[in-house]
Amino acid sequence: NIHKKKELYKAALSEYQQLMQTKFSEMTLLSQAQIYAYFDDHLKAASLYVLLAHKDSEKKEEYLFQAASFQLHKDKKTAIDTFATIVDLNGKYAAKAAFNQLNLLYQEKRYRDFILAQDKALKHIAPEKLPLIHYYLGKSLLHTGDFL
């Protein structure tokens, strides 16, 4: 049952936090991030995924994408920055990150930032999503009064 599951996760988290003071601390990060995600503690989960990204270069992009996905629940500005970092990595998550970054910038009414970011991000946007991004670009240009 769900109550039992929550109790087990809380107990596991407590054990992992004790291990943070030992040489095994790095091995507990992913599990802790997943538990915090289960409990909807988005900021703690995100911070652990960022930490994992800095420690594991092979999975850096994947961990950053996880972090950004949790950040957008509580800290959209940081999520936008994290998605931008992923775009700069030009890896397999670049397309999703570029779309999410531009979408968030537009939603947050950061039109000038949208205009600046779209140059770098557009090459990663899937063709079927380009009309929406072009619409956002046009509206952003209109909002900023930048018609040329």
Side-chain angles (χ1 to χ4, degrees):
N1 79 37
I2 292 175
H3 181 69
K4 180 78 170 163
K5 187 175 186 178
K6 285 183 178 182
E7 290 305 313
L8 288 172
Y9 275 144
K10 284 180 185 176
L13 190 57
S14 175
E15 296 293 326
Y16 286 134
Q17 288 171 342
Q18 287 181 16
L19 286 172
M20 288 299 289
Q21 311 308 317
T22 71
K23 65 182 179 181
F24 302 108
S25 64
E26 279 188 37
M27 292 192 289
T28 72
L29 296 176
L30 181 58
S31 297
Q32 287 185 74
Q34 292 167 335
I35 292 171
Y36 282 122
Y38 174 81
F39 285 120
D40 290 329
D41 192 335
H42 301 293
L43 292 180
K44 283 185 181 174
S47 67
L48 287 170
Y49 278 112
V50 168
L51 191 57
L52 282 162
H54 291 297
K55 293 183 177 293
D56 186 347
S57 59
E58 280 185 29
K59 292 187 174 183
K60 179 177 187 169
E61 195 180 7
E62 178 183 339
Y63 289 143
L64 286 175
F65 195 85
Q66 286 286 350
S69 298
F70 288 114
Q71 289 164 342
L72 65 88
H73 292 280
K74 300 280 185 185
D75 186 357
K76 288 183 171 49
K77 182 188 180 316
T78 303
I80 290 167
D81 294 342
T82 303
F83 283 130
T85 300
I86 297 166
V87 171
D88 289 341
L89 293 173
N90 287 313
K92 69 179 187 176
Y93 288 86
K96 289 180 184 178
F99 180 77
N100 288 338
Q101 175 198 17
L102 292 177
N103 200 26
L104 277 172
L105 284 168
Y106 186 78
Q107 285 176 12
E108 293 297 298
K109 297 177 174 43
R110 291 176 51 187
Y111 303 119
R112 289 204 184 285
D113 293 333
F114 180 96
I115 294 165
L116 294 172
Q118 63 87 31
D119 248 6
K120 193 183 292 185
L122 262 182
K123 68 181 177 189
H124 298 290
I125 301 296
E128 67 272 9
K129 294 181 179 176
L130 277 175
L132 177 63
I133 298 302
H134 287 144
Y135 171 77
Y136 286 168
L137 177 59
K139 294 287 281 186
S140 295
L141 291 168
L142 190 63
H143 282 292
T144 60
D146 190 353
F147 303 115
L148 293 176

